[in-house]
Protein backbone atom coordinates (compact mmCIF):
# COMPACT_ATOMS: atom_id res chain seq x y z
CA UNK A 1 0.00 0.00 0.00
CA UNK A 2 1.04 3.59 -0.47
CA UNK A 3 1.60 6.25 2.14
CA UNK A 4 0.25 6.06 5.64
CA UNK A 5 -2.46 3.43 5.74
CA UNK A 6 -5.36 4.09 8.07
CA UNK A 7 -4.71 1.52 10.80
CA UNK A 8 -0.92 1.62 10.96
CA UNK A 9 -0.71 5.40 10.54
CA UNK A 10 -3.43 6.02 13.09
CA UNK A 11 -1.62 3.81 15.59
CA UNK A 12 1.63 5.75 15.13
CA UNK A 13 -0.08 9.12 15.31
CA UNK A 14 -1.96 8.15 18.48
CA UNK A 15 1.40 7.49 20.15
CA UNK A 16 2.55 11.01 19.24
CA UNK A 17 -0.19 12.91 21.09
CA UNK A 18 1.34 15.78 23.07
CA UNK A 19 4.84 14.96 21.83
CA UNK A 20 7.19 16.96 19.64
CA UNK A 21 7.47 14.77 16.58
CA UNK A 22 8.96 14.28 13.16
CA UNK A 23 7.79 11.48 10.86
CA UNK A 24 10.12 10.82 7.96
CA UNK A 25 10.57 8.37 5.15
CA UNK A 26 9.61 7.28 1.66
CA UNK A 27 5.81 7.51 1.73
CA UNK A 28 5.27 6.61 -1.97
CA UNK A 29 2.73 9.43 -2.26
CA UNK A 30 3.88 12.01 -4.80
CA UNK A 31 3.00 15.43 -3.39
CA UNK A 32 3.75 16.96 -6.80
CA UNK A 33 0.86 15.04 -8.44
CA UNK A 34 -2.58 16.47 -8.96
CA UNK A 35 -4.59 15.18 -6.00
CA UNK A 36 -6.11 11.73 -6.34
CA UNK A 37 -7.94 9.63 -3.79
CA UNK A 38 -4.66 8.29 -2.39
CA UNK A 39 -3.04 11.73 -2.13
CA UNK A 40 -6.19 13.27 -0.64
CA UNK A 41 -6.51 10.55 2.04
CA UNK A 42 -2.81 10.75 2.87
CA UNK A 43 -2.78 14.54 3.18
CA UNK A 44 -6.05 14.62 5.11
CA UNK A 45 -4.68 12.10 7.63
CA UNK A 46 -1.46 14.06 8.09
CA UNK A 47 -3.10 17.52 8.30
CA UNK A 48 -5.95 16.40 10.57
CA UNK A 49 -3.38 15.13 13.03
CA UNK A 50 -1.62 18.49 13.14
CA UNK A 51 1.36 17.53 10.98
CA UNK A 52 2.68 19.34 7.92
CA UNK A 53 5.18 18.21 5.30
CA UNK A 54 8.45 20.13 5.34
CA UNK A 55 9.55 19.17 1.81
CA UNK A 56 7.71 20.42 -1.29
CA UNK A 57 10.30 19.92 -4.04
CA UNK A 58 11.40 16.77 -5.91
CA UNK A 59 13.16 14.17 -3.76
CA UNK A 60 13.36 11.24 -6.18
CA UNK A 61 14.02 10.57 -9.85
CA UNK A 62 14.35 7.34 -11.75
CA UNK A 63 16.11 7.56 -15.13
CA UNK A 64 13.62 8.43 -17.86
CA UNK A 65 10.86 9.27 -15.38
CA UNK A 66 9.41 12.46 -13.97
CA UNK A 67 10.79 13.79 -10.70
CA UNK A 68 8.63 13.08 -7.65
CA UNK A 69 8.29 14.26 -4.05
CA UNK A 70 7.71 10.93 -2.30
CA UNK A 71 10.26 11.29 0.51
CA UNK A 72 9.30 13.68 3.25
CA UNK A 73 9.62 14.85 6.82
CA UNK A 74 6.34 15.68 8.54
CA UNK A 75 6.29 17.57 11.81
CA UNK A 76 3.82 18.98 14.30
CA UNK A 77 6.39 21.63 15.32
CA UNK A 78 5.30 24.24 12.79
CA UNK A 79 6.13 27.06 15.19
CA UNK A 80 9.83 26.09 15.27
CA UNK A 81 10.97 25.62 11.65
CA UNK A 82 14.38 26.83 10.62
CA UNK A 83 15.34 24.99 7.46
CA UNK A 84 14.42 21.91 5.46
CA UNK A 85 15.38 20.70 2.04
CA UNK A 86 16.88 18.19 -0.33
CA UNK A 87 20.54 17.47 -0.97
CA UNK A 88 20.92 16.68 -4.64
CA UNK A 89 23.13 13.64 -4.64
CA UNK A 90 23.68 11.06 -7.38
CA UNK A 91 24.27 8.13 -4.98
CA UNK A 92 20.66 6.98 -5.19
CA UNK A 93 17.39 7.74 -6.94
CA UNK A 94 16.28 9.08 -3.53
CA UNK A 95 17.96 12.35 -2.57
CA UNK A 96 18.84 12.86 1.10
CA UNK A 97 16.31 15.11 2.86
CA UNK A 98 16.83 17.17 6.01
CA UNK A 99 15.01 19.38 8.45
CA UNK A 100 16.56 21.54 11.15
CA UNK A 101 14.45 23.02 13.92
CA UNK A 102 15.23 24.87 17.11
CA UNK A 103 13.12 23.93 20.08
CA UNK A 104 13.57 23.22 23.74
CA UNK A 105 13.38 19.56 24.59
CA UNK A 106 12.21 20.19 28.14
CA UNK A 107 8.81 18.67 28.68
CA UNK A 108 6.29 18.47 31.46
CA UNK A 109 5.90 15.27 33.42
CA UNK A 110 4.29 12.63 31.18
CA UNK A 111 0.63 12.05 31.78
CA UNK A 112 -1.65 9.11 30.99
CA UNK A 113 -4.55 11.39 30.15
CA UNK A 114 -6.14 11.13 26.71
CA UNK A 115 -7.26 14.75 26.97
CA UNK A 116 -6.00 16.82 24.08
CA UNK A 117 -6.35 20.57 23.61
CA UNK A 118 -6.90 21.40 19.97
CA UNK A 119 -5.87 24.89 18.88
CA UNK A 120 -6.10 24.43 15.11
CA UNK A 121 -8.49 22.61 12.81
CA UNK A 122 -6.88 21.48 9.57
CA UNK A 123 -10.06 20.44 7.77
CA UNK A 124 -10.28 20.55 3.99
CA UNK A 125 -12.45 23.68 4.18
CA UNK A 126 -9.93 25.45 6.44
CA UNK A 127 -7.06 24.44 4.17
CA UNK A 128 -9.05 25.91 1.26
CA UNK A 129 -9.39 29.12 3.34
CA UNK A 130 -5.63 29.07 3.94
CA UNK A 131 -4.95 28.80 0.20
CA UNK A 132 -7.37 31.68 -0.45
CA UNK A 133 -5.69 33.81 2.26
CA UNK A 134 -2.29 33.23 0.68
CA UNK A 135 -3.61 33.80 -2.84
CA UNK A 136 -5.33 37.05 -1.81
CA UNK A 137 -2.14 38.33 -0.18
CA UNK A 138 0.40 36.93 -2.62
CA UNK A 139 2.15 40.29 -2.94
CA UNK A 140 3.12 40.13 0.74
CA UNK A 141 4.71 36.72 0.20
CA UNK A 142 6.51 37.89 -2.93
CA UNK A 143 7.79 41.22 -1.65
CA UNK A 144 7.90 41.08 2.17
CA UNK A 145 9.49 37.68 2.72
CA UNK A 146 13.11 38.67 2.39
CA UNK A 147 14.12 36.19 5.11
CA UNK A 148 12.90 32.75 6.07
CA UNK A 149 11.78 34.12 9.44
CA UNK A 150 9.57 36.72 7.69
CA UNK A 151 8.07 33.98 5.53
CA UNK A 152 7.34 31.80 8.58
CA UNK A 153 5.79 34.74 10.43
CA UNK A 154 3.50 35.61 7.49
CA UNK A 155 2.63 31.95 6.88
CA UNK A 156 1.79 31.48 10.58
CA UNK A 157 -0.43 34.58 10.42
CA UNK A 158 -2.34 33.03 7.49
CA UNK A 159 -2.64 29.69 9.32
CA UNK A 160 -4.01 31.52 12.36
CA UNK A 161 -6.59 33.33 10.22
CA UNK A 162 -7.74 30.20 8.39
CA UNK A 163 -7.28 27.33 10.86
CA UNK A 164 -6.93 28.57 14.44
CA UNK A 165 -9.95 27.92 16.61
CA UNK A 166 -11.35 31.00 18.34
CA UNK A 167 -11.76 28.89 21.45
CA UNK A 168 -9.46 25.87 21.86
CA UNK A 169 -11.29 22.57 22.35
CA UNK A 170 -10.29 19.99 24.92
CA UNK A 171 -11.42 16.53 23.98
CA UNK A 172 -10.90 13.01 25.15
CA UNK A 173 -9.73 11.07 22.14
CA UNK A 174 -9.21 7.43 21.43
CA UNK A 175 -8.15 8.17 17.87
CA UNK A 176 -6.54 11.08 16.07
CA UNK A 177 -8.00 10.24 12.68
CA UNK A 178 -11.57 9.54 13.81
CA UNK A 179 -11.97 11.43 17.08
CA UNK A 180 -15.01 10.98 19.25
CA UNK A 181 -16.94 14.18 19.54
CA UNK A 182 -17.09 15.68 23.06
Amino acid sequence: SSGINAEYGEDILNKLINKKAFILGDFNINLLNKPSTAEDKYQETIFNCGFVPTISIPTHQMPGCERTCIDNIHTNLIEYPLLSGVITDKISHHHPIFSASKFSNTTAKPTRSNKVTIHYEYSNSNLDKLCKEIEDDLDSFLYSCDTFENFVELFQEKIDIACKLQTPKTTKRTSLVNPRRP
Side-chain angles (χ1 to χ4, degrees), residues 67-81:
R67 299 183 313 166
T68 61
C69 180
I70 61 174
D71 307 288
N72 222 308
I73 303 169
H74 301 284
T75 185
N76 58 1
L77 299 171
I78 60 174
E79 64 272 22
Y80 298 107

Side-chain angles (χ1 to χ4, degrees), residues 24-39:
L24 55 130
D26 175 355
F27 295 96
N28 283 329
I29 295 288
N30 185 6
L31 297 182
L32 301 179
N33 277 350
K34 290 183 179 175
S36 69
T37 303
E39 280 91 2

Side-chain angles (χ1 to χ4, degrees), residues 82 87 93:
L82 289 179
I87 301 169
H93 301 300

